């Protein structure tokens, strides 16, 4: 992985091995970028760990909780926040203090821009339909980043335009991410789960994850995990029970770097918004939906991937 930073508005990029792919990093400043990505470069994979890969707002918190519950053999909510396992934002050298192995590391980056140490590992990929992703991205920006980092507000139309057309957005384009990750779907170390399938049939899809991870948890525990990780239960149970230890609080404060630094419970309430299938119908105008459909008609994968939109 090659990395470079630029002055002015801070921008840093991760690139693939031959430099043909460039993905913008989600880091507040050069110091944070250098620390996190130096940790990535020096990291040695621990056997027994797993990787969770998903684009932003595609069910990362949801699946991380499920995978960690399967690892621990319990449907109890994990009290420390998953951000300590998020290699994009948290220095891996500090992860052990919060989550010793075995654990589920997670990333929003496509795997070809990560160091080779993270490729070919047992990885669960979660994909959500692009229309609901765009809406969730808008509210994530509005409810978290605009309030926490005090960034310039955007209308939904502006966020939608960025989502469809801007390849220089943080963590890269949704469509580029899905295209590359989908190309890995036949790798025996990759399990693809659709967010909508997880909502519609949680027990069957959690069992797929259980089998893929080799955790061999009982049908009874799988059902308990399915119940605990419904969206409403996660919002009311997980979000308010999350605790942040001092080391994690210090690092998260550096990540947020804004005048407003909400505690874990409040931040969790903002992260868990709706988690519904088809919420895009409440936000896209007829004209915006037609524009979206025209875009998808030209995107080759929209014919190959059978997204669930409603």
């Amino acid at each position: 992985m090659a990395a470079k930073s630029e002055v002015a508005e801070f921008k840093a990029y991760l690139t693939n091995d031959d430099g043909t792919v460039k993905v913008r990093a989600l880091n507040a400043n050069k110091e944070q970028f250098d620390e996190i990505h130096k940790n990535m470069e020096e990291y040695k994979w621990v056997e027994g760990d797993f990787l969770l890969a998903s684009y932003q707002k595609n069910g990362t918190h949801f699946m991380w909780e499920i995978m960690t519950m399967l690892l621990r053999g319990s449907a109890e909510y994990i009290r420390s926040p998953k951000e300590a396992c998020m290699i994009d934002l948290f220095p891996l050298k500090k992860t052990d203090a919060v989550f010793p192995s075995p654990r589920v590391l997670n990333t929003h980056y496509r795997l070809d821009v990560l160091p080779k140490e993270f490729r070919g590992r047992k990885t669960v990929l979660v994909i959500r339909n692009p229309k609901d992703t765009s809406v969730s991205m808008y509210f994530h920006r509005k409810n978290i980043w605009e309030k926490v980092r005090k960034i310039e507000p955007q209308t939904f139309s502006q966020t939608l335009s960025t989502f469809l057309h801007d390849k220089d957005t943080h963590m890269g384009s949704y469509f580029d991410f899905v295209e590359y990750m989908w190309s890995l779907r036949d790798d025996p170390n990759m399990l693809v789960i659709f967010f909508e399938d997880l909502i519609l049939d949680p027990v069957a899809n959690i069992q797929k994850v259980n089998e893929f991870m080799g955790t061999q948890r009982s049908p009874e525990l799988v059902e308990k995990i399915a119940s605990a990780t419904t969206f409403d239960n996660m919002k009311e149970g997980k979000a308010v029970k999350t605790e942040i230890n001092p080391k994690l609080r210090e690092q998260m404060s550096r990540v947020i770097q804004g005048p407003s630094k909400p505690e874990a419970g409040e931040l969790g309430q903002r992260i868990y918004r709706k988690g519904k299938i088809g919420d895009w119908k409440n936000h896209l105008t007829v004209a915006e939906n037609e524009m979206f459909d025209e875009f998808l008609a030209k995107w080759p994968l929209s014919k190959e991937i059978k997204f669930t939109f409603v």
Side-chain angles (χ1 to χ4, degrees), residues 31-32 35 89-91 94 98 244-257 261 263:
E31 179 187 3
Q32 183 191 106
E35 179 186 17
L89 290 176
F90 197 81
K94 299 178 181 179
V98 187
I244 301 184
N245 69 28
K247 289 183 180 179
L248 184 53
R249 178 177 284 108
E250 177 188 358
Q251 183 64 31
M252 290 183 72
S253 178
R254 292 175 61 201
V255 169
I256 291 171
Q257 287 205 333
K261 298 182 175 63
E263 291 299 309

Side-chain angles (χ1 to χ4, degrees), residues 224-239:
K224 287 179 180 178
I225 292 173
S227 175
T229 55
T230 63
F231 186 84
D232 288 342
N233 285 344
M234 285 278 285
K235 186 171 184 177
E236 297 304 320
K238 165 71 176 181

Side-chain angles (χ1 to χ4, degrees), residues 29 94 114 133 142-143 147 151 245 262 290:
N29 56 53
K94 299 178 181 179
L114 293 179
T133 299
K142 177 183 174 69
N143 295 335
K147 288 182 169 58
I151 62 174
N245 69 28
E290 290 176 350

